[in-house]
């Protein structure tokens, strides 16, 4: 079941018609307040939220949804936004970010992925309720593979090193990353965990999103931005779907990983 929050009448009708045609049961709301009223008595697998709301702040609406319905996967639709706004969307609890105007084929793929993610969360919850956690075990399970992953997490976490985590979608890569963050001591010391979904950030914003930019670096850059690498300083940066990084940015990412320094867009000086 999908909760659609879109204030534009034509866009709302278009999206509702498409999702209904794909077999989803859709409840549409024109405002955040109307959506929260519906959410109070109906359970949804996915909430598709327009960031621009006429009656409320979009970021605050995401937080309200995540608090009231923590099992609902939130997908956000928005125009191209600045780095800080995009990061705030994810910090507020959103699972994915879709750039408007939203293509229907891309929307169908993202919703299907969100539904699968929701099912995995439900299955994980059932496992947690059925299994007693064991100290030193960060992924729950009794198989030899899970035991080996837990052993590797404990071994790798203390090292100050870049870590590559591989696995199919939904297998728990972010869980491993968060475990490494906490066990490394950075989490306990107040360092932040900054996740970046490379596939969800518009390609034209990726370099600025990762490395930051100086004021006036490009049209619309009215103020300097730190970028994800610098925001995660003292903590952990998790680059999800890193295989989606465009080829022209890969050498710059490699340099940042090797030199532990970034070059903000428009700057002649590394940080």
């Amino acid at each position: 079941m999908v909760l659609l929050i879109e204030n534009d009448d034509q866009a709302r009708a278009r999206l509702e018609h498409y999702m209904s045609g794909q077999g989803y049961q859709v409840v549409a709301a024109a405002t955040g307040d109307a959506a929260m009223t519906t959410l109070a008595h109906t359970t949804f697998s996915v909430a598709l939220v327009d960031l621009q709301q006429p009656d409320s702040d979009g970021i605050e609406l995401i937080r309200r949804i995540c608090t009231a319905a923590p099992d609902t996967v939130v997908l956000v639709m928005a125009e191209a936004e600045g780095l800080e706004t995009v990061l705030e969307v994810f910090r507020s609890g959103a699972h994915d970010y879709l750039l408007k105007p939203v293509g229907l084929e891309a929307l169908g793929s993202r919703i299907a992925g969100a539904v699968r993610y929701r099912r995995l969360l439900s299955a994980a919850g059932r496992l947690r309720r059925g299994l007693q956690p064991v100290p030193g075990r960060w992924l729950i399970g009794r198989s030899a593979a899970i035991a080996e992953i837990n052993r590797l997490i404990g071994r790798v976490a203390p090292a100050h090193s870049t870590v590559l985590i591989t696995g199919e979608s939904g297998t728990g890569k972010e869980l491993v990353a968060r475990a490494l963050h906490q066990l490394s001591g950075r989490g306990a010391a107040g360092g932040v965990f900054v996740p970046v979904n490379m596939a969800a950030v518009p390609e034209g914003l990726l370099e600025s999103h990762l490395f930051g930019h100086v004021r006036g670096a490009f049209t619309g850059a009215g103020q300097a931005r730190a970028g994800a690498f610098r925001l995660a300083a003292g903590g952990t940066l998790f680059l999800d779907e890193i295989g989606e990084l465009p080829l022209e940015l890969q050498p710059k990412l490699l340099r940042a990983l090797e030199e532990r320094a970034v070059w903000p867009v428009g700057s002649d000086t590394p940080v």
Side-chain angles (χ1 to χ4, degrees):
M1 198 168 184
V2 179
L3 174 61
L4 169 63
I5 311 171
E6 169 62 72
N7 62 80
D8 183 274
D9 294 341
Q10 288 187 338
R12 186 171 64 253
R14 168 176 172 264
L15 296 173
E16 183 177 6
H17 176 76
Y18 172 76
M19 289 187 289
S20 297
Q22 296 297 305
Y24 298 107
Q25 186 176 352
V26 183
V27 175
T31 66
D33 287 342
M36 293 307 299
T37 300
T38 301
L39 199 64
H41 54 75
T42 307
T43 300
F44 294 92
S45 295
V46 179
L48 184 62
V49 183
D50 184 355
L51 189 63
Q52 303 300 324
Q53 291 295 317
D55 64 337
S56 60
D57 176 77
I59 298 293
E60 182 58 31
L61 176 59
I62 296 169
R63 293 194 183 102
R64 290 170 65 193
I65 293 172
C66 292
T67 299
D71 291 335
T72 298
V73 180
V74 178
L75 308 183
V76 174
M77 304 177 292
E79 306 286 350
E81 299 283 352
L83 170 65
E84 299 295 339
T85 300
V86 174
L87 288 176
E88 193 62 31
V89 164
F90 287 106
R91 290 193 193 107
S92 300
H95 175 72
D96 208 344
Y97 185 101
L98 292 83
L99 192 63
K100 297 179 71 174
V102 178
L104 295 180
E105 184 176 342
L107 175 64
S109 175
R110 300 290 182 84
I111 290 179
V115 170
R116 288 195 298 270
Y117 180 70
R118 169 67 154 69
R119 289 172 180 163
L120 284 169
L121 288 179
S122 297
R126 290 193 296 271
L127 277 173
R128 290 189 185 98
R129 289 189 293 270
L131 294 172
Q132 293 296 321
V134 178
R137 300 300 172 93
W138 301 280
L139 297 184
I140 297 175
R142 298 192 177 97
S143 70
I146 290 293
E148 175 63 11
I149 291 172
N150 281 321
R151 186 189 69 79
L152 287 174
I153 289 173
R155 180 180 178 186
V156 169
H160 183 67
S161 176
T162 301
V163 180
L164 175 65
I165 306 169
T166 61
E168 295 180 9
S169 179
T171 52
K173 295 186 292 296
E174 184 166 346
L175 289 177
V176 172
R178 288 184 181 275
L180 291 171
H181 173 66
Q182 292 299 326
L183 291 168
S184 69
R186 292 188 293 273
V192 295
F193 180 85
V194 179
V196 177
N197 188 329
M198 310 291 273
V201 181
E203 185 171 327
L205 296 177
L206 259 174
E207 184 172 3
S208 173
H209 192 114
L210 291 173
F211 308 128
H213 65 257
V214 299
R215 181 178 180 181
F218 48 84
T219 302
Q223 57 183 333
R225 300 290 186 181
F229 269 89
R230 291 165 67 188
L231 288 172
T236 301
L237 176 63
F238 174 53
L239 301 177
D240 197 11
E241 301 293 348
I242 196 170
E244 300 298 320
L245 186 70
L247 286 173
E248 60 269 22
L249 283 184
Q250 292 184 21
K252 296 180 180 180
L253 175 63
L254 179 60
R255 183 170 60 188
L257 296 176
E258 289 180 335
E259 299 178 2
R260 302 296 183 189
V262 297
W263 292 74
V265 177
S267 173
D268 296 328
T269 306
V271 179

